[in-house]
Amino acid sequence: MLLPRTFDHVVIAVPDLARSVEQCESVLGVRPVEGGSHPGAGTANALLGLEVAGSPLIRGYLEILGPDPEQDPALAETRLAGVTEPIVQRWAVHPDDFDGLVAAAAVSNDPPVDLGGVYDMSRRTPEGEVLDWRLTRRTPLALGGVQPFLIDWKGSPHPAEQDLPRVTLDQFWATSPDPGAVRAVLATLDARIEVEEGEVDALYVRLEGPGGQWIL
């Protein structure tokens, strides 16, 4: 499987977080753990650690992202617009030089790369700890989410370093009407993955757990 060394995590967007946690456990045989809420964003998440098939040195995690029932539903509408079933919405890489890659992308013309802006983010864990990080974000998602966003965890512990239940990321790939153009953008970000020709820009995963396989 083609995956960059800087792979960080995959975001599965869902319309109902509790229901999707149950679905994940039913299909994979592993229950995601509560990650926490994103104050002011209207969302919360659940997490699974990922072992990458064929790449034991790459560690990442799966984020299941849905509306936070304890926040105003309107806050989540932008981040979860059009999500009516679990989908692979986007993915992240953690470059060695976050600021350098942001600057390089801003002047890239061949191909053009639009990362959007840089935003500070936070999440409160169930234990009450506040984690802080920064990331790039643009709306709408670039290349339908196939172009990754960049993340810098600053001083916060990386979720993949926690004692999370784990499943195997067996395959991770994208489709695009113009695979060559998409591959060029991914190469500029040193974030190469498999890209096949398809009708739309979209991401897909195949996960393996003790209970079975989940393809999204």
Side-chain angles (χ1 to χ4, degrees), residues 78-102:
T78 299
R79 300 183 73 188
L80 299 174
V83 176
T84 58
E85 61 181 359
I87 61 167
V88 187
Q89 186 189 58
R90 51 202 166 100
W91 68 296
V93 294
H94 54 262
D96 297 326
D97 182 1
F98 180 94
D99 292 311
L101 190 51
V102 168

Side-chain angles (χ1 to χ4, degrees), residues 7-109:
F7 170 77
D8 195 271
H9 68 281
V10 177
V11 179
I12 307 297
V14 302
D16 186 306
L17 184 57
R19 185 183 305 163
S20 292
V21 167
E22 296 293 338
Q23 180 184 11
C24 183
E25 182 178 22
S26 174
V27 174
L28 292 175
V30 175
R31 186 175 183 84
V33 301
E34 181 181 354
S37 65
H38 303 106
T43 56
N45 63 19
L47 309 176
L48 280 176
L50 291 176
E51 303 286 352
V52 178
S55 302
L57 297 181
I58 299 178
R59 299 290 291 274
Y61 70 98
L62 178 75
E63 176 183 10
I64 302 176
L65 180 75
D68 183 353
E70 297 186 3
Q71 296 189 61
D72 182 352
L75 293 173
E77 288 180 357
T78 299
R79 300 183 73 188
L80 299 174
V83 176
T84 58
E85 61 181 359
I87 61 167
V88 187
Q89 186 189 58
R90 51 202 166 100
W91 68 296
V93 294
H94 54 262
D96 297 326
D97 182 1
F98 180 94
D99 292 311
L101 190 51
V102 168
V107 298
S108 177
N109 293 314

